Amino acid sequence: MTDYGSDFLWILILASLGLSALAVFFSISRRHRDNTPVVHSAGEDVASEAARKVLREIEKNGQSVDAALVTWSPETLRKILHEDLPEAQVIVVSNREPYIHNVKGDGVELVVPASGLVSALEPITRACSGTWIAYGGGTADRQMVDEDDRVQVPPGNPSYALRRVWLTEEEYQGYYLGFANEGLWPLCHIAFTRPIFRASDWEAYEAVNRKFADTVVAEARNERPIVLVQDYHFALLPRMIRERLPEAIVITFWHIPWPNSEVFSICPWRERILDGLLGSSIIGFHTQFHANNFTESVDRFLESRIERADAAISYGGQTTLVHAYPISIEWPAELLAKLPDVDASRTSLRERFGLKADVKLCVGVERLDYTKGILDRFQALEELFIRYPEWVGKLVLLQIAAPSRGTLPAYKQLHDECHRYAEELNQRYGSKGYKPVVMVAEHHSQEQVYEIYRAADICMVTSLHDGMNLVAKEFVAARDDEQGVLMLSTFAGASRELLEALIVNPYDPAMMSEALLQALTMTPEEQRQRMRPMREMVRDNNVYRWAGSMLLDAARLRKRSELDRVTAVTERSANPNVDNVVSMVERRRMAAGLR
Ligand code: F6P
């Protein structure tokens, strides 16, 4: 580049940064002035198109700077797809399907599963009119599909196709229950449950990943779809897709933590897992910490080149970006408009559970999983009653625990221990008409869950380890009255964002009981002061931003690869002996430190 060119670029960069700083300053002062939604006009208001292009190339914490200046909505996603990724087909792959059809009596019942992944991706797939490929595990799933195993969803207002994949009992046992949930799940979570690795489970895992790869190829309308691969069930799938659709953009999101490289080394198939994942164009984690752990694992076990400044790994002739994209929820949550307000929710829930008006209601909502710290929450309650007996009779913990992976021994044991401990507490501290712990081990719909959030005084999220934890964000979204206290584990990814929550260590019952007391006695004004910024955080960093940031990065990759292709063709025609010289593309890559 000439001196004149580089001066011009610097002027552009400085001007852009100046404008961005101004925009951020005005945005912050506005956030402090009032609580009305901030309407940014997609960056164009504050930066010229040229500056915007420069801004796109400057990344901060794995995200384009301009991503921070946009108001994220389904419309923004559609715009990105239309303008930055024209004609791209979006295919989502997950194990859990967003809609399950089950036989009920003589009819069919529709269930939306208790899954953070589903609640995050469903609004995205709707906005993109994509195709969602998932395991058809419902007892009536086969009845509901067409001859191509597809069903249009959401029911009543269809906007995308759900393509179901069928698994045999052995495949389900080995791939889902075995390798994914007895192997990878405990490996990736620090919850002190020993991972179990069986060769037969690994074989099933590989076979099922291949089955899903076949389905992706069958569903792809052209050679260049955008495939959003979800979670630890599909570590091998990105490579399998890359081999068959080399021009696809594969964005893999790992929804659970990634362990440090020493823990990861326990897995007998560690190299295969890393190789499989590095078939992705982009790999996303909730936090930078887990992205770093992944990069360390690659560094330790594969011959690769790590470009830390670019957050990129070059391996086997391909580059993969490794970034943090904190997942979130829909904002505003569509279903909130249909729900009764906070007062009505309080009244109906209190009637349902027979709670007196002066009793404080603390809630916990999750799958019955040993990573969620349910027993630790019970222990905190017991500790509070020991330290502050005046609260006996004045506090109830409503624990909603959706049944999950219930055939596995670790989950059966947890189920029994939770019921036993709840019973013990009720015997010790209960009295006529009063039970301190109400445990409901049943599936609840999103509407029911939001009603519970609205009725609560306190929401306890005490995970021993959690990638993000969307319950924390849902609770905040549900509280449009700006009341209610969130107790949040420091080991959940959400604690990096919801800074005004009462942050707790679930391993420390004394500290948790003190935090519980603080929550019980917090003034409405302090609750508001804490809740308001958390609501702003979730509003500005909603799930559309999560998906949009990944799509913008994908668009950037696609443009870069198109440019590389064009340059390579031009060079080849200008110099047929191009193989004997270092190509322009290669030189540019080297200069950018990509190889
Ligand atoms: O937390 C990881 C995750 O895949 C979530 O995305 C989801 O909420 C949960 O596990 C679902 O578990 P399962 O599909 O096994 O019930």
Side-chain angles (χ1 to χ4, degrees), residues 95-96 114-118 176 181 185 189 231-233 255-256 367 372 403-405 466-467:
N95 171 69
R96 185 65 63 195
S115 155
L117 180 158
V118 166
Y176 172 76
N181 285 318
W185 180 267
H189 288 92
D231 232 350
Y232 61 102
H233 311 90
H255 288 257
I256 62 177
R367 289 179 304 103
K372 301 293 180 186
S404 180
R405 308 170 192 170
D466 222 327

